Amino acid sequence: MRAVSPRAWGAPENLVPVEVDRPAPALTEILVRVHAAGVNPVDWKSRAAGAFGSWGENPILGYDVSGVVEEVGPGVTLYRPGDAVFGMPRFPEQTGGYAEFVAAPARRFAPKPAGLSHVEAAALPLAALTAWQGLIETAGLRAGQRVLIHAAAGGVGHLAVQIAKAHGAYVIGTARADKHDFLRSLGADELIDYTVTDFSEAVRDVDVVLDGVGGAYGDRSLPVLRRGGHLVTLPDPGGLPDPERAAELGVHTGWTIVEPDRLGLLEIARLVDEGTLRVEVDTVLPLEEAAKAHAYGEQGRTQGKIVLKVA
C-alpha cells in the first residue's frame, strides 16, 4: 500500500512516499481503507524529534483517520465491510494514518457522522476529543460558567469554543483580530487579540482556562481564574504554572493528554448531527504532500485543521 514515512526524524522534507505491506486485522480489529487523515501538531513534533509515539520499522505518522471498513477480524460485531468510520485508534502508539489502510481495535472507532465528508470527519477525532476531555471530563465544565480558551481559532480551540457553548458556558477566546469574525460565527461571546491586549489584565472571574499554547501562558492564566477554578494545560507539562502560586490562589492545575475514547467520539458525533458542532478545514492536500502540510502547520497560523486526502 501507499504510505508516507520519515526517512529520518527532522525536517518536513524528510517525509517521503513509500510502499509498505498492507496490515491485516487481528483479533477484535478492523481494517479501514483510509479516505482522509487529519494532521495535528503532535504529528510534526513527532517528525521533528521522533517523540510522542511508539514507532514501527516503517514509522508512519498520523492518528486521525476517516474511511470505510475493508475487513473485520475475528470477534468483531460492531462493524461490517462497507461501514464508514472515524477515530484516532492507537494514540499515542503508531496508528499509521498517513497510509491507504489502518488496522486497529474496532472499539477505538465510531460511525462517521452521515452529514460529514471523510475529509471533515478526519479533522475531528484528536482535536475534538482533546477539547471534550479537557473541558467536560477534566474541568467538569457546567452551564453558566465562564471559560477562557487560548488559541481559540486553532484545531482544538475552534472545537472547544463550540463544545463549551453547547454546554451553556460563556466563552472568551484569545486569537488574532482577523480570526474574530470566524470565532463569533461559532458562538464566542468575547474575544481578545493577544497581539495588542494582555489577556491576564483584561479577564477576571473565569472558571476554566483551556491552554492550548503552553509555555508562560500557564502562569499568566492564574490571575484570571476564580478560587476553585481549573487550568487545563494541553501542549506539554512544561507549561504548568508554579504549584505553590496555584495553591495560594486556590486554582486546580494539571496537564491532560488525549486518549482514544469511543464514547467520547459518539458524543462528538451527536453534537455534529444536532448541528451544534462543525469542523473548520483550513487546507486539504494529497497524501504525497504531507511534507507541505507539516511545513504549513508549523507556521501556527491555521484556522481549523489540515487534512490529507488519501483515497
Side-chain angles (χ1 to χ4, degrees):
M1 67 174 182
R2 292 182 301 124
V4 167
S5 177
R7 57 193 168 191
W9 302 118
E13 54 266 28
N14 285 346
L15 291 174
V16 296
V18 296
E19 287 284 333
V20 298
D21 291 337
R22 170 174 148 172
L27 195 69
T28 74
E29 291 187 347
I30 57 176
L31 179 69
V32 175
R33 181 183 291 272
V34 179
H35 283 233
V39 178
N40 293 287
V42 67
D43 296 352
W44 57 75
K45 291 176 182 178
S46 294
R47 185 220 68 233
F52 303 103
S54 301
W55 306 108
E57 185 175 342
N58 289 295
I60 301 175
L61 301 175
Y63 293 108
D64 283 338
V65 296
S66 181
V68 174
V69 177
E70 184 84 0
E71 290 179 44
V72 299
V76 173
T77 57
L78 275 180
Y79 304 111
R80 295 181 296 179
D83 288 343
V85 297
F86 76 128
M88 46 158 283
R90 293 191 183 275
F91 185 88
E93 298 177 2
Q94 176 168 310
T95 299
Y98 296 5
E100 289 184 291
F101 293 93
V102 163
R107 291 183 182 273
R108 298 289 183 89
F109 294 91
K112 180 182 75 67
L116 295 186
S117 67
H118 283 292
V119 165
E120 292 168 322
L124 270 174
L126 192 147
L129 283 175
T130 297
W132 178 271
Q133 292 171 9
L135 289 173
I136 309 305
E137 297 181 349
T138 302
L141 184 68
R142 303 185 305 276
Q145 290 190 321
R146 289 163 54 85
V147 57
L148 172 63
I149 298 171
H150 291 308
V156 172
H158 85 288
L159 297 169
V161 167
Q162 297 172 79
I163 289 170
K165 289 301 295 182
H167 284 77
Y170 181 91
V171 177
I172 307 164
T174 62
R176 290 177 177 270
D178 61 353
K179 311 289 187 185
H180 286 192
D181 286 344
F182 164 64
L183 290 168
R184 289 190 188 97
S185 76
L186 301 181
D189 298 289
E190 187 177 333
L191 294 163
I192 298 168
D193 181 354
Y194 65 88
T195 67
V196 297
T197 302
D198 184 347
F199 72 85
S200 67
E201 296 180 358
V203 181
R204 284 293 182 274
D205 296 324
V206 165
D207 298 285
V208 178
V209 173
L210 190 69
D211 177 16
V213 178
Y217 266 58
D219 276 313
R220 292 176 60 201
S221 295
L222 287 181
V224 314
L225 283 155
R226 294 173 176 165
R227 293 193 71 83
H230 291 261
L231 169 62
V232 181
T233 299
L234 301 176
D236 62 75
L240 287 171
D242 176 65
E244 291 185 4
R245 185 175 178 226
E248 181 181 328
L249 294 172
V251 172
H252 304 285
T253 65
W255 175 58
T256 184
I257 186 167
V258 66
E259 300 176 59
D261 177 9
R262 181 172 181 269
L263 294 179
L265 284 176
L266 291 173
E267 285 296 313
I268 288 159
R270 179 182 62 81
L271 293 178
V272 170
D273 290 337
E274 290 176 352
T276 54
L277 181 66
R278 67 178 175 90
V279 62
E280 179 79 1
V281 176
D282 181 290
T283 301
V284 181
L285 293 167
L287 174 64
E288 289 76 12
E289 295 187 19
K292 183 176 178 180
H294 277 220
Y296 176 53
E298 286 179 311
Q299 295 175 17
R301 297 294 179 86
T302 58
Q303 180 172 294
K305 295 294 298 293
I306 304 169
V307 178
L308 298 175
K309 194 167 184 180
V310 181

